[in-house]
Amino acid sequence: MRFGVVVFPGSNCDADCFHVVDRVLGQPVEYLWHGDEKLKEIDCLILPGGFSYGDYLRTGAIARFSPLMNSVMEYAEKGGLILGICNGFQILTEMGLLPGALIRNPSLQFQCQDTYLRVERADTPFTGCYAPKQVVKIPIAHAEGSFVADKKTLDLLEKEGRVVFRYSSPGGEITAEANPNGSLHNIAGIINEKGNVLGMMPHPERCSEGIMGGVDGLRLFESLVKWWEEGGAR
């Protein structure tokens, strides 16, 4: 399964994602420069975390207009797998591939800490190696990670089961105390209508090796390979 990791000016988690796919997952992977216009032959695209264009305007708002994004949009419309992590999630909302927006944390501070997530769906290409309602520990690192949307959009996301990860307590309870950034409905990750584009604020690549303190994030990458090997794309 061939992976591509997009590099923007300011990306700082691209190498982390590349390392996990290459050295931990053992799959082919290459960097994709944001300034290119054509997307190479890949089976899964990763938009990594970081500070694309320094986040000087609004997170993801400039990256959305990078030359490569036109090809990324076409790739998504054809059913290509896209994983957006942190800044990647913000870019996906700016592109309109995912609904809602990520706004400033209510604390007005950059938050870097472990969070517990409840896996709401285990039947997506991104979550097949998790169990339904499993609680996993994956860190966040962001200043603008509070997910918001209007009521109509939230109702639609809930009705269609498109909330994939939700901030929870270690026991899986969905509470305000377990929500680190005030995201509406404790949303940490959502999927598009077709099920091929996932955006999430926590960083699975930062907990994919034992030396990093846990491997809960690796299951997400393994899910993609499992889905691919089982013929999910065909």
Side-chain angles (χ1 to χ4, degrees):
M1 184 177 186
R2 299 158 298 180
F3 286 78
V5 179
V6 180
V7 180
F8 299 95
S11 296
N12 66 4
C13 299
D14 45 358
D16 298 351
C17 290
F18 189 101
H19 169 79
V20 170
V21 174
D22 180 37
R23 300 298 180 88
V24 184
L25 205 59
Q27 296 294 318
V29 58
E30 60 183 307
Y31 289 119
L32 306 173
W33 181 238
H34 78 106
D36 292 340
E37 295 187 353
K38 297 293 183 182
L39 205 56
K40 297 180 181 178
E41 289 294 322
I42 56 166
D43 302 311
C44 181
L45 178 75
I46 298 176
L47 299 177
F51 302 89
S52 57
Y53 294 93
D55 288 349
Y56 287 123
L57 177 61
R58 187 177 66 243
T59 50
I62 302 177
R64 179 261 176 276
F65 292 103
S66 283
L68 190 65
M69 292 300 103
N70 290 328
S71 294
V72 172
M73 187 72 78
E74 294 175 3
Y75 179 73
E77 291 173 351
K78 292 178 181 176
L81 289 176
I82 299 179
L83 168 62
I85 303 170
C86 195
N87 192 215
F89 186 11
Q90 295 158 342
I91 294 169
L92 289 173
T93 61
E94 291 289 342
M95 294 175 70
L97 288 178
L98 290 174
L102 286 310
I103 65 171
R104 193 82 171 164
N105 298 339
S107 65
L108 301 181
Q109 295 181 337
F110 183 88
Q111 292 178 244
C112 184
Q113 63 195 68
D114 281 333
T115 61
Y116 291 96
L117 311 177
R118 192 173 75 186
V119 181
E120 301 291 65
R121 289 186 55 181
D123 61 343
T124 78
F126 307 88
T127 54
C129 288
Y130 295 110
K133 306 303 180 185
Q134 180 179 351
V135 177
V136 297
K137 186 169 71 173
I138 298 180
I140 59 169
H142 57 243
E144 298 183 22
S146 183
F147 181 83
V148 295
D150 58 31
K151 184 179 184 304
K152 181 180 179 182
T153 300
L154 287 169
D155 289 346
L156 186 64
L157 287 173
E158 297 290 357
K159 179 182 177 182
E160 296 182 348
R162 289 164 55 189
V163 178
V164 177
F165 296 111
R166 218 183 289 269
Y167 297 111
S168 78
S169 71
E173 295 85 8
I174 305 303
T175 65
E177 292 74 20
N179 188 348
N181 54 27
S183 288
L184 297 179
H185 293 206
N186 283 46
I187 288 174
I190 59 174
I191 203 166
N192 68 336
E193 191 173 6
K194 292 181 179 178
N196 61 304
V197 179
L198 173 75
M200 61 187 299
M201 286 310 296
H203 287 262
E205 78 280 11
R206 294 188 181 182
C207 56
S208 291
E209 293 176 277
I211 195 172
M212 300 298 290
V215 294
D216 283 351
L218 180 61
R219 306 295 174 241
L220 188 149
F221 296 99
E222 291 177 334
S223 296
L224 289 164
V225 176
K226 175 175 180 284
W227 180 83
W228 179 261
E229 291 179 344
E230 292 178 350
R234 297 182 289 276

